[in-house]
Amino acid sequence: MDEVNEIKELGTSAKATIQCLTIVGQIEGHQILPDDTKTTKYEHVMPLLAAVEEAPEIKGLLILLNTVGGDVEAGLGIAELIAGMKKPTASLVLGGGHSIGVPLAVAADMSFIAPSAAMTIHPVRLNGVVIGVPQTYNYFARIQERIVSFVTGHSHISREKYTELMMTTDEIANDVGSVIHGDEAVSFGLIDRIGTLSDALNYLHGKTEETVKEQ
């Protein structure tokens, strides 16, 4: 795949020392979404992350996020890969980092959010027919625990505060949860800093310079 096609298809280019990965629209999991839906496909992102980790010429990873959320397991899988990378990583939330976009944002070593960006925190939802039995509710609870544990384990927000935001009843019309903006996300400890593209890149270049000095 040449550079132009790589940017068009994956929103990324490996020509620079800092690899840029864009996670936009809806995160697609095992089910293919309609053609008119902007998606980020996990089968594209996962091997790309593995390639970045292995490529000696790439010194760091920048994740640009503007996502409404999507498939929980696909999102968590991508987040786990980012969190497990040895190379420096930084995320920047632009526009929105909603739903499963929250774990993706906090998975990086350093997370930034634009002042105008927003993040939606809410309980797990499931599309389609749901069987109303105790096993179903237990399944929901276990999925929710995976998300809460990941987010609180990779950020500075407390479990109590995150759960409170997730279960708020007067924030979103006809729904449960909270929408928080840039300064709130930082004050709650969910995101590390308010920042811009240059801030995220400066962080990554600083970390790569530290690595070179240590070697």
Side-chain angles (χ1 to χ4, degrees), residues 94-160:
L94 299 161
H98 304 295
S99 191
I100 201 61
V102 176
L104 288 164
V106 305
D109 298 329
M110 180 64 66
S111 57
F112 296 86
I113 187 169
S116 61
M119 305 182 81
T120 302
I121 300 169
H122 61 73
V124 170
R125 302 186 183 102
L126 188 66
N127 294 326
V129 177
V130 177
I131 301 174
V133 294
Q135 292 91 331
T136 301
Y137 296 106
N138 290 338
Y139 176 70
F140 278 6
R142 292 174 68 182
I143 295 176
Q144 190 64 63
E145 175 57 27
R146 290 160 61 190
I147 296 172
V148 173
S149 295
F150 186 92
V151 171
T152 56
H154 291 85
S155 69
H156 301 291
I157 194 169
S158 67
R159 174 178 288 267
E160 292 74 20

Side-chain angles (χ1 to χ4, degrees), residues 19-45:
Q19 177 86 20
C20 179
L21 169 66
T22 55
I23 297 179
V24 298
Q26 191 163 343
I27 298 164
E28 186 178 89
H30 303 305
Q31 295 183 338
I32 298 176
L33 296 173
D35 291 337
D36 60 354
T37 300
K38 176 69 72 174
T39 62
T40 295
K41 300 179 182 295
Y42 80 103
E43 70 269 25
H44 289 172
V45 175

Side-chain angles (χ1 to χ4, degrees), residues 36-204:
D36 60 354
T37 300
K38 176 69 72 174
T39 62
T40 295
K41 300 179 182 295
Y42 80 103
E43 70 269 25
H44 289 172
V45 175
M46 287 183 170
L48 177 63
L49 290 172
V52 168
E53 184 75 342
E54 283 291 292
E57 68 276 12
I58 299 175
K59 307 303 180 185
L61 175 68
L62 172 65
I63 305 108
L64 300 179
L65 283 158
N66 189 4
T67 176
V68 296
D71 187 276
V72 171
E73 291 193 344
L76 275 179
I78 295 170
E80 289 283 10
L81 283 177
I82 294 170
M85 296 179 70
K86 291 182 178 179
K87 290 183 178 178
T89 57
S91 64
L92 175 58
V93 180
L94 299 161
H98 304 295
S99 191
I100 201 61
V102 176
L104 288 164
V106 305
D109 298 329
M110 180 64 66
S111 57
F112 296 86
I113 187 169
S116 61
M119 305 182 81
T120 302
I121 300 169
H122 61 73
V124 170
R125 302 186 183 102
L126 188 66
N127 294 326
V129 177
V130 177
I131 301 174
V133 294
Q135 292 91 331
T136 301
Y137 296 106
N138 290 338
Y139 176 70
F140 278 6
R142 292 174 68 182
I143 295 176
Q144 190 64 63
E145 175 57 27
R146 290 160 61 190
I147 296 172
V148 173
S149 295
F150 186 92
V151 171
T152 56
H154 291 85
S155 69
H156 301 291
I157 194 169
S158 67
R159 174 178 288 267
E160 292 74 20
K161 185 62 180 178
Y162 190 77
T163 303
E164 176 191 333
L165 293 170
M166 184 175 63
M167 302 306 294
T168 299
T169 57
D170 59 355
E171 178 75 18
I172 305 175
N174 299 321
D175 203 353
V176 176
S178 301
V179 179
I180 61 175
H181 297 89
D183 56 347
E184 294 175 307
V186 174
S187 67
F188 293 148
L190 183 62
I191 298 296
D192 293 315
R193 301 178 189 173
I194 293 287
T196 62
L197 175 62
S198 60
D199 294 321
L201 286 172
N202 286 340
Y203 167 79
L204 288 171

